[in-house]
Amino acid sequence: MKVAPRRLWTVALFLIVTGWTASAENYQCRSASGCVATITKNGKFKKVRFRPGDVIDTETGWVAKSTDGWKKVKKKSPLPAGSR
Amino acid sequence: MNHAFQPPTKDTPPGSARRRLSRALALGLLPATSLILGLVFHQRTGPAPRPQAPGPVPTTADDEPPAPGPSLSLARRSPPTPRVQAAPTSTLADLPPVSSPPPESPSVTLESHASSEVEVRVLEAKSNRPAAHARVELRFFAEGADFDAGQTILRRTDSHGFVRQRFSPGLLSVVAWNETSAGGPFEVSVGPAEAPELEIALQPTLPVEGRVVDASTGEGLGGAQVSVWTFAESDTVVTGADGTFLHPRFPTDAFAEQLRVTLPGFGAQVCYLEASEEGWSVPSPTREDAAVQGTGTPWVEIALVPNLEITGKIVGAGGAVVPGARIEAEGFYYVLPSVASRDAAEASSSEDGSFRLEGLRSDIGHSLRVRAEGFADRVLELEGDLDRTLDLGRIWLSPQALLSGVVLDPDGTPVEDILVELIPRGEPSEGIRESTVDTGLRTHGESFRTRTDPAGVFDFPGLSPGEFSLHVARDSESVLVHEVSLSGCSANDWLELRLPPGSLTLVGEVRTSGAALAGAEVIVERHGYVGSVKTDSEGRFRVAGLDDEGAYELEVRGTCSRTGALLTARTSSWAHAKPVLNLGRR
């Protein structure tokens, strides 16, 4: 089966975009008493406490679970333009 | 100095992944390895989030087989007998000279008609003896309260190491400390039938030294308050005239904590610190700068930027002032390249509609959300440009649109206490400016959330016309999605939503001494809160919108009508099971 190079590039681009963006997610601590996220540092598993309202990026190694109070931040807020 | 903090393998500012991707693509970096990575990530993480193209935006803010049905016994929980009589609060030697602990809270009671006494016992770490006169911070969050709506109470233990305090149902976070040791935080649920008892063993802490300076001049700032606020809010020390401080209590059981500094006239600053007996590290919030690290007592230098003061006046149709409106500002700044802290303030408009917000950072942007009864929520975006004052003039509010409805299960029975979330379908604004300090993140207006009442009814007030996706969800999973269009002409829309036939309904019964137990509360959880319902006059309950992907945890709270005794019990059940919960059959 022959695949045109242009189509291959399109597929590659799509996969890279979907792969990269799917792994980049921000989570906000919505638990009133704060949240715990974990990270591996120097091969050791570490727990770190966060304040309510804190946002972390899980692409960088943080592990945030919804059962620990983390909620995915879906997007930036829709805002009206020209407010000032 | 070495780079000490490298937890992130790829430091990514929150919210900036797409920007970085665009840059990479623009440079033509599309190696074969990226293709492989892309394939792997795609398979491991599922579909990508919705694309965020620029465009106009709405104005409103925003295979194990199931187990057979269990039979659960309810057990009587006896109220605990106080072990020690509370002693009057006595004096305590002041904390180290730089410390300035806030005044102790009076012995207040955060209780309603149903309250429980929480008992905290604090012990010394090495001797395991009662820690007399230790400070105890109790942060209480009423059921259903937002995460920034907590109440903080500061108490001292009595001579036997006890603190007792009454609370209405909610969530409690407790920490304790004395001169050079600390313990916690511990989290406990307070229920009408529960009288939690906590025991906190104090562990030795590490001192932290540092200096607070003015970011623009480098001069030391006296009078600033410094706390390890991921541990305790109330345990603050005050900087001397030259801006230096010594905080004697950095918990050693934690890998890292956040220091927070506040000073009137300046915006708050948060600094991430790792410290142990082996050494310490202060990672930079930016990728470009190196971490500062060393051994011995950690040294932290924290720069404050001027405070931003926002004023304005809230008006409605015809320019009529709107008193009592709620104004909330929110922005996010980097603490680490992968962690953002929230900078927030809120106020209410006065009788003449005016308001004033203070204490915000002036070097980052904020979203400003205005909410007032009878009006549509309004969200404004404010750029951060180091102006110390910002007068927004008149902020106009439009009349609200209302969206109400009822959620029915596949049989047509109203569904109680199910989550209903309304998400604006507009694209996000691309006008939010990011910087090395400002993440550009916003959460205002991301969605509107509510839960159905016992009749299955939900209400969304404060809406503006626009396109929305309405999600009915259990356990973070949407059971039903419905597209909604609110026009300017329809001020009040009503929806009747029926859950799909594939969703499951857990039907059960609570009995006591063979008779039905009416009015018992059944709380359902699985990976978090799912919902709660009450039993009817025949002791039956229904929880709709479930699935068979795992068993649910059920907690039952009831009252014996004859003796008034409080009864609680827990069990697990699959959604299709029909549990009968019999009192007294243990």
Side-chain angles (χ1 to χ4, degrees):
Chain A
M1 186 176 71
K2 295 172 74 174
V3 179
R6 185 174 175 181
R7 188 176 174 187
L8 194 60
W9 274 110
T10 307
V11 171
L13 183 63
F14 170 77
L15 291 175
I16 291 167
V17 169
T18 54
W20 281 7
T21 55
S23 64
E25 293 180 341
N26 298 321
Y27 285 80
Q28 184 176 39
C29 174
R30 297 276 177 92
S31 171
S33 57
C35 306
V36 170
T38 58
I39 197 163
T40 302
K41 186 188 178 193
N42 299 330
K44 291 182 180 175
F45 188 67
K46 303 286 187 183
K47 285 186 174 182
V48 180
R49 286 193 286 260
F50 287 92
R51 290 283 305 184
D54 282 356
V55 176
I56 62 174
D57 181 352
T58 56
E59 186 188 7
T60 57
W62 292 108
V63 177
K65 296 179 180 176
S66 60
T67 50
D68 289 329
W70 294 101
K71 185 178 183 300
K72 188 176 172 184
V73 181
K74 291 169 183 166
K75 58 183 180 180
K76 292 175 184 176
S77 171
L79 301 161
S83 57
R84 60 171 296 211
Chain B
M1 300 289 181
N2 296 323
H3 289 264
F5 183 76
Q6 299 296 340
T9 51
K10 296 176 287 180
D11 279 344
T12 305
S16 68
R18 289 177 193 87
R19 185 184 57 182
R20 206 187 55 208
L21 175 62
S22 309
R23 197 182 303 150
L25 292 176
L27 292 171
L29 297 176
L30 294 172
T33 50
S34 297
L35 171 60
I36 295 167
L37 282 174
L39 276 166
V40 170
F41 272 81
H42 182 64
Q43 288 175 348
R44 290 175 58 187
T45 58
R50 287 180 294 173
Q52 298 185 4
V57 297
T59 52
T60 46
D62 3 356
D63 282 341
E64 185 179 349
S71 177
L72 173 70
S73 297
L74 293 177
R76 180 192 302 252
R77 175 173 290 194
S78 303
T81 306
R83 289 173 291 190
V84 182
Q85 288 296 317
T89 304
S90 58
T91 57
L92 170 70
D94 286 341
L95 295 171
V98 291
S99 296
S100 177
E104 185 177 353
S105 306
S107 184
V108 295
T109 304
L110 298 176
E111 61 180 318
S112 59
H113 59 284
S115 67
S116 300
E117 185 177 72
V118 176
E119 180 181 271
V120 181
R121 190 181 190 209
V122 184
L123 302 171
E124 300 284 359
K126 291 180 181 173
S127 65
N128 212 35
R129 300 178 63 171
H133 316 308
R135 288 185 178 274
V136 179
E137 180 186 274
L138 304 112
R139 293 175 59 221
F140 175 73
F141 305 89
E143 282 182 341
D146 203 6
F147 65 74
D148 53 3
Q151 295 170 275
T152 300
I153 295 176
L154 187 61
R155 299 281 308 276
R156 287 181 195 266
T157 56
D158 61 22
S159 56
H160 302 282
F162 283 98
V163 159
R164 296 182 185 84
Q165 180 77 44
R166 296 193 73 83
F167 292 97
S168 55
L171 185 69
L172 191 63
S173 180
V174 186
V175 294
W177 67 90
N178 60 17
E179 284 78 0
T180 55
S181 60
F186 291 98
E187 202 174 278
V188 62
S189 292
V190 183
E194 295 170 281
E197 297 175 15
L198 277 176
E199 198 167 87
I200 299 178
L202 301 180
Q203 303 294 331
T205 55
L206 290 174
V208 176
E209 293 181 312
R211 186 165 178 252
V212 177
V213 300
D214 186 323
S216 55
T217 66
E219 299 281 325
L221 293 171
Q225 291 202 317
V226 184
S227 65
V228 186
W229 83 323
T230 37
F231 172 71
E233 286 182 354
S234 311
D235 186 11
T236 59
V237 299
V238 178
T239 58
D242 62 350
T244 58
F245 69 88
L246 164 65
H247 198 303
R249 287 170 293 276
F250 185 91
T252 50
D253 63 338
F255 164 64
E257 299 277 4
Q258 295 177 14
L259 301 183
R260 184 174 192 247
V261 181
T262 58
L263 178 65
F266 292 84
Q269 178 65 291
V270 168
C271 168
Y272 187 90
L273 170 65
E274 300 168 17
S276 67
E277 291 173 351
E278 287 78 40
W280 55 270
S281 174
V282 181
S284 168
T286 64
R287 299 176 65 203
E288 290 74 22
D289 297 325
V292 178
Q293 70 173 157
T295 56
T297 301
W299 175 267
V300 182
E301 189 154 304
I302 301 171
L304 301 184
V305 296
N307 152 60
L308 169 65
E309 180 182 303
I310 303 172
T311 55
K313 181 175 274 196
I314 311 299
V315 296
V321 298
V322 179
R326 201 76 192 138
I327 301 103
E328 306 161 324
E330 174 191 76
F332 290 87
Y333 57 97
Y334 289 106
V335 174
L336 291 179
S338 58
V339 173
S341 189
R342 183 168 176 259
D343 187 52
E346 60 182 43
S348 294
S349 60
S350 58
E351 285 301 313
D352 66 351
S354 64
F355 71 90
R356 179 187 302 270
L357 283 173
E358 295 176 299
L360 295 165
R361 294 175 60 126
S362 55
D363 59 343
I364 64 170
H366 295 83
S367 60
L368 190 82
R369 179 168 62 184
V370 183
R371 307 173 110 171
E373 192 171 347
F375 295 93
D377 288 4
R378 180 153 186 213
V379 178
L380 310 173
E381 178 60 20
L382 312 175
E383 290 180 359
D385 52 11
L386 289 172
D387 278 349
R388 297 195 61 165
T389 58
L390 177 60
D391 185 2
L392 296 173
R394 289 195 292 183
I395 298 175
W396 295 81
L397 299 184
S398 307
Q400 68 175 343
L402 292 167
L403 178 65
S404 307
V406 63
V407 179
L408 307 172
D409 70 11
D411 297 334
T413 305
V415 181
E416 179 181 359
D417 197 35
I418 195 166
L419 176 66
V420 186
E421 185 171 18
L422 194 64
I423 303 172
R425 279 206 304 243
E427 300 296 344
S429 169
E430 292 295 313
I432 299 175
R433 198 170 61 184
E434 301 171 20
S435 71
T436 55
V437 180
D438 191 348
T439 67
L441 279 168
R442 303 287 183 266
T443 64
H444 277 162
E446 190 177 79
S447 70
F448 302 84
R449 296 158 70 93
T450 189
R451 303 188 78 87
T452 54
D453 67 11
V457 173
F458 62 88
D459 288 299
F460 287 108
L463 301 177
S464 290
E467 307 292 320
F468 301 86
S469 290
L470 188 147
H471 294 245
V472 180
R474 287 281 196 208
D475 201 11
S476 304
E477 296 293 329
S478 294
V479 185
L480 175 72
V481 180
H482 185 82
E483 302 303 326
V484 179
S485 178
L486 285 179
S487 69
C489 304
S490 57
N492 196 345
D493 280 17
W494 174 265
L495 298 173
E496 186 173 298
L497 305 169
R498 190 178 289 249
L499 300 183
S503 68
L504 301 177
T505 301
L506 173 62
V507 180
E509 211 174 323
V510 179
R511 305 182 72 81
T512 174
S513 301
L517 181 61
E521 185 179 17
V522 182
I523 302 162
V524 184
E525 296 184 330
R526 188 179 72 179
H527 315 306
Y529 182 79
V530 171
S532 74
V533 295
K534 292 217 166 162
T535 56
D536 63 17
S537 59
E538 297 177 354
R540 291 181 300 206
F541 65 88
R542 297 170 64 92
V543 185
L546 307 183
D547 59 47
D548 60 358
E549 292 180 7
Y552 293 87
E553 299 297 320
L554 273 61
E555 180 182 353
V556 182
R557 299 170 180 173
T559 305
C560 177
S561 58
R562 186 169 53 83
T563 64
L566 299 171
L567 310 160
T568 63
R570 289 176 183 270
T571 189
S572 62
S573 174
W574 291 79
H576 70 272
K578 292 184 169 54
V580 177
L581 316 176
N582 293 302
L583 173 65
R585 288 175 52 191
R586 303 201 65 170

